[in-house]
Amino acid sequence: MIEDAAKVKKSSAPAGEPLLKVQDLKTHFPVRSGLLQRVTGYVKAVDGVSFEVRKGETLGLVGESGCGKTTVGRTLLRLIPNSGGSVTFNGVDVFHAGGTTLRKLRQQMQIIFQDPAGSLNPRMRIASIVGEPLKVHNIVADKADLRERVETLLERCGMPRQAADRYPHEFSGGQRQRIGIARALALEPKFIVCDEPTSALDVSIQSQILNLLADLRDEFGLSYLFISHDMAVIQHICDRVAVMFKGQIVETGTREQVIEHPQHKYTQALLSAVPEADPRREKSRVVFEDMAM
């Protein structure tokens, strides 16, 4: 997969004002106990995270399971309520937006979920799944227009047009993820949260999805927040990298800075865990001991 993924084109992220700006983002979940289920504490899933994503850029958010990276993606899209901080998208305050403003934001900010099977309604045909956002936001004029748009989206994501009449269970994991990508593209967004879009797929399919995402980024000028625990994937598709540990970002920089010259011991440990393609080359593991940062 690493060799194939090397074909993924890197975007030349332009300088300028950030499309997305996250400042001191916090998401705390209450811990309840006792007969009355009173709040006795909080789990600080995200605890003061700040970063920026520019137009046409892919920012990789990497860390082990449970570090809070998925919570970051869902909080900035308002799928999970925040406990503090701010998110600004294209100059608009996301957390204080409402009405028409929020509706427009939802068109411009989309998500590709980790589990392609769980994110697609098994009772709906693919035409309804991909076309639902277009209907909700009144983008299409009639059924014929809706059908044509759905089939065009599916075709652009590597699926046959006839797939529109079938159900999710009739497709493989990679095909279901392509359908999820088509749904995310339906409203022509500017920014997409890619929440570990390849982790549930076979290794042989991962590079195909990475190549598709890279091609779509270049074609439509998309910006990605690419969430992953896999440093090898992050290395091949991201322009900049932010390393997350226990709800905080411990290191950030360009892909070359973080991959080739990691400064934090946790980043070094993540990189040392990436499998070596050549079995003849020995690779020393870096052990990271959990301690106060």
Side-chain angles (χ1 to χ4, degrees):
M1 189 276 290
I2 294 179
E3 290 80 357
D4 291 337
K7 300 175 185 177
V8 171
K9 294 180 289 184
K10 316 294 194 307
S11 67
S12 54
E17 287 298 313
L19 177 68
L20 179 80
K21 190 171 184 179
V22 178
Q23 291 183 303
D24 197 28
L25 182 65
K26 297 178 182 178
T27 306
H28 299 169
F29 297 107
V31 177
R32 301 179 183 275
S33 60
L35 184 62
L36 299 178
Q37 289 292 289
R38 291 177 176 171
V39 176
T40 56
Y42 289 89
V43 174
K44 298 180 179 180
V46 180
D47 195 26
V49 166
S50 300
F51 59 84
E52 296 177 352
V53 181
R54 290 178 168 78
K55 293 180 180 179
E57 180 183 49
T58 300
L59 173 67
L61 188 60
V62 63
E64 62 189 338
S65 297
C67 71
K69 56 189 186 297
T70 291
T71 304
V72 169
R74 297 192 178 198
T75 301
L76 64 87
L77 292 178
R78 289 181 58 169
L79 299 179
I80 298 175
N82 70 305
S83 304
S86 65
V87 175
T88 305
F89 179 81
N90 215 12
V92 178
D93 188 333
V94 174
F95 293 149
H96 290 91
T100 304
T101 303
L102 179 59
R103 189 179 181 86
K104 289 181 178 179
L105 281 176
R106 297 226 180 267
Q107 287 184 240
Q108 298 174 12
M109 305 171 71
Q110 290 291 308
I111 184 170
I112 299 169
F113 293 99
Q114 177 179 3
D115 181 11
S119 64
L120 304 178
N121 190 331
R123 297 175 180 269
M124 294 173 65
R125 295 182 188 272
I126 303 305
S128 298
I129 291 174
V130 177
E132 187 174 30
L134 296 168
K135 293 171 64 177
V136 169
H137 289 270
N138 298 316
I139 304 297
V140 292
D142 50 44
K143 289 185 178 181
D145 185 22
L146 175 63
R147 179 72 181 202
E148 177 59 28
R149 284 184 178 238
V150 167
E151 291 183 354
T152 300
L153 284 166
L154 289 172
E155 195 171 43
R156 180 59 192 87
C157 291
M159 295 294 293
R161 299 172 76 92
Q162 300 90 329
D165 295 317
R166 297 164 66 183
Y167 289 92
H169 74 270
E170 299 180 62
F171 299 98
S172 66
Q175 290 174 321
R176 285 195 288 257
Q177 193 59 288
R178 289 176 185 272
I179 293 167
I181 294 171
R183 179 178 58 185
L185 286 175
L187 297 175
E188 300 180 358
K190 296 180 180 178
F191 171 75
I192 298 179
V193 173
C194 302
D195 185 10
E196 304 223 33
T198 62
S199 64
L201 306 177
D202 293 340
V203 174
S204 60
I205 305 299
Q206 290 183 5
S207 61
Q208 297 178 19
I209 298 300
L210 289 177
N211 282 319
L212 172 62
L213 290 171
D215 289 342
L216 293 172
R217 175 192 60 196
D218 297 339
E219 181 178 344
F220 299 108
L222 298 170
S223 300
Y224 292 148
L225 175 63
F226 197 97
I227 298 170
S228 179
H229 66 275
D230 191 335
M231 270 293 195
V233 171
I234 289 291
Q235 179 179 0
H236 288 293
I237 195 171
C238 299
D239 303 299
R240 290 190 302 116
V241 180
V243 182
M244 196 166 177
F245 175 70
K246 281 193 171 181
Q248 298 180 344
I249 291 178
V250 297
E251 184 170 357
T252 186
T254 65
R255 181 182 61 253
E256 290 77 11
Q257 289 171 341
V258 174
I259 300 297
E260 298 176 11
H261 306 287
Q263 300 299 308
H264 198 276
K265 194 70 178 283
Y266 178 67
T267 309
Q268 296 170 7
L270 286 177
L271 286 168
S272 72
V274 177
E276 179 59 58
D278 188 350
R280 295 170 296 182
R281 293 181 58 182
E282 293 186 4
K283 192 173 186 179
S284 59
R285 289 293 301 272
V286 176
V287 179
F288 176 72
E289 296 181 2
D290 189 0
M291 52 188 175
M293 293 179 293

